[in-house]
Each structure stands twice: as C-alpha cells, then as structure tokens.
Amino acid sequence: NAAVEQKRAVVDAVRDAVGNDIDLAFDIHWDYSLDSAKRVARALEPYNLMWLEDVVPPENIAAQREVARSTSTPLAAGENRFRVHEFKDLLYDFAVDVITPDPTTCGGLAESRAIANRAEENYIVFSPHNVCGPIGTMACVHLGASIPNFGVLEYHALDVDWWDDLVIRSEPLIRDGYIEVPESPGIGVELNEDVAREHLHSRGTMFD
C-alpha cells in the first residue's frame, strides 16, 4: 500500500504543479507484478495520464493485456520488441493504447512504418521510443511526419549539454517542445564532425 501511495503522490504533485492542460506520461520500467501493476494503474486513473509505460515485463503479452483490461489509464509498451511480427499480439489483442517501438532496434524506418500501419488498423497511437542523437532524432521526425497515427516523439538528452552542437544549425533542434520538419535535402540536418570527434569514447567507437 505504501509503495502504491508513493507513486500516486508523485503523480499528484506533478499534476498539481503543471495543471490539467499539460499531457503527462510516466514510465515505470517493468518493475511490477500483475497485481501491483493493476493497482498502480487504477490509482492513477484520476490524473488523466497520456500513458503509463512498461507496467509489466515485456515477455508476457497476456499479463499486459490483463492490466489493460483492468484500468482506464492508457498503457504504452513496445520498445523491447523486434520486427513487426513481435508486435502483433500487443496490437491485435489491444494490450496497449500506445505502441512505442524503437526504430533503431525494431528493424529500422521501414519496419517501424509497418508496425505503425498495423497500429493504425486498430486505431492505436504510434509514439516511437527515441534515445538517439540529433541525426537519429531527425530521422524519427520524418518517420512521424509520414504516419497518420503518430503521437509524440520521445527525447532523452536534456542532460547532454552538447547534444545540439552535434548538428550544424543556428538554432536548437527542439524549440518549445516541437521540432519543425525540414525541407532541405536528406533528413535536413548535417552532422558536425568536429564536435562528434570531441566526444568520441576513448576506444574511438562510441560517444562518451
């Protein structure tokens, strides 16, 4: 009871701070049993969340579906699934309200579109999981712009103060929570190779 109340109190505090016009989504990182996931989701129903993400571990679709059947809180999942075939049960059993594949791991942009098409058949929102730098993020922006059931794009780099420096442009890529779809050639941004080299891992294979 104390753990459920602690989660509810966090959501209550955030909702109180930002008001009802701001969309809120919370990721709970597969930490719950079936029973506790149901209890948390039901406790959060009054807060009108955009979604509650990854409520139970990803292997058992039946458990995910049971949570979905037990609550009016929208559920999101999908970042740990690969290829369109692994999304079938989530989508056609209505075990999620929002599907969140990661284009860099689920099979790329074309496979992501295939997943989005199947989600659209079931009126399910497509909101990609995105932990990319600005180049990959812009690729996801083009993906979202081409999908009628696109929702929002995840973004993970608030604490990376050189994130915007990785591309050559005069203004930040994200402004007031939005990214404008560019009309320039390619994906619309150019990598700043000098900045990229400055942040190479000591082995020279990945960013620090």
Side-chain angles (χ1 to χ4, degrees):
N1 289 339
V4 172
E5 172 57 23
Q6 191 271 339
K7 297 297 183 187
R8 188 208 62 78
V10 169
V11 174
D12 183 75
V14 176
R15 175 58 80 198
D16 183 62
V18 304
N20 289 319
D21 293 334
I22 300 296
D23 290 324
L24 292 181
F26 288 86
D27 190 337
I28 54 178
H29 297 287
W30 311 287
D31 282 342
Y32 292 87
S33 67
L34 177 59
D35 173 66
S36 60
K38 289 180 178 180
R39 294 174 68 189
V40 169
R42 287 196 292 259
L44 299 182
E45 287 175 356
Y47 299 99
N48 298 318
L49 298 184
M50 183 163 60
W51 71 61
L52 191 62
E53 186 172 353
D54 294 334
V55 292
V56 291
E59 300 85 5
N60 191 325
I61 298 297
Q64 174 79 27
R65 185 179 60 241
E66 286 299 307
V67 181
R69 299 289 186 272
S70 74
T71 182
S72 63
T73 297
L75 302 183
E79 68 186 67
N80 284 79
R81 298 195 161 269
F82 309 97
R83 302 292 307 279
V84 65
H85 312 288
E86 290 194 9
F87 289 83
K88 181 180 72 172
D89 292 340
L90 276 174
L91 295 170
Y92 290 97
D93 287 351
F94 296 96
V96 292
D97 302 279
V98 181
I99 197 72
T100 59
D102 188 321
T104 65
T105 60
C106 76
L109 297 177
E111 199 76 7
S112 297
R113 281 186 56 83
I115 295 163
N117 289 340
R118 285 154 179 77
E120 185 187 8
E121 290 179 6
N122 294 287
Y123 316 115
I124 291 173
V125 173
F126 177 89
S127 288
H129 178 257
N130 170 46
V131 293
C132 294
I135 300 292
T137 295
M138 187 57 80
C140 289
V141 167
H142 285 280
L143 173 67
S146 70
I147 290 171
N149 53 325
F150 175 75
V152 298
L153 179 63
E154 191 168 9
Y155 166 66
H156 268 268
L158 286 174
D159 296 327
V160 182
D161 56 10
W162 44 270
W163 192 86
D164 269 306
D165 299 335
L166 282 167
V167 290
I168 299 172
R169 54 185 291 123
S170 58
E171 297 178 324
L173 196 65
I174 302 173
R175 287 176 287 173
D176 298 324
Y178 291 87
I179 301 178
E180 184 175 347
V181 181
E183 298 181 0
S184 47
I187 63 170
V189 289
E190 181 181 351
L191 177 67
N192 188 325
E193 296 186 21
D194 292 334
V195 174
R197 289 190 185 95
E198 290 174 9
H199 295 282
L200 282 176
H201 190 276
S202 59
R203 293 188 298 272
T205 56
M206 59 185 296
F207 288 126
D208 217 355

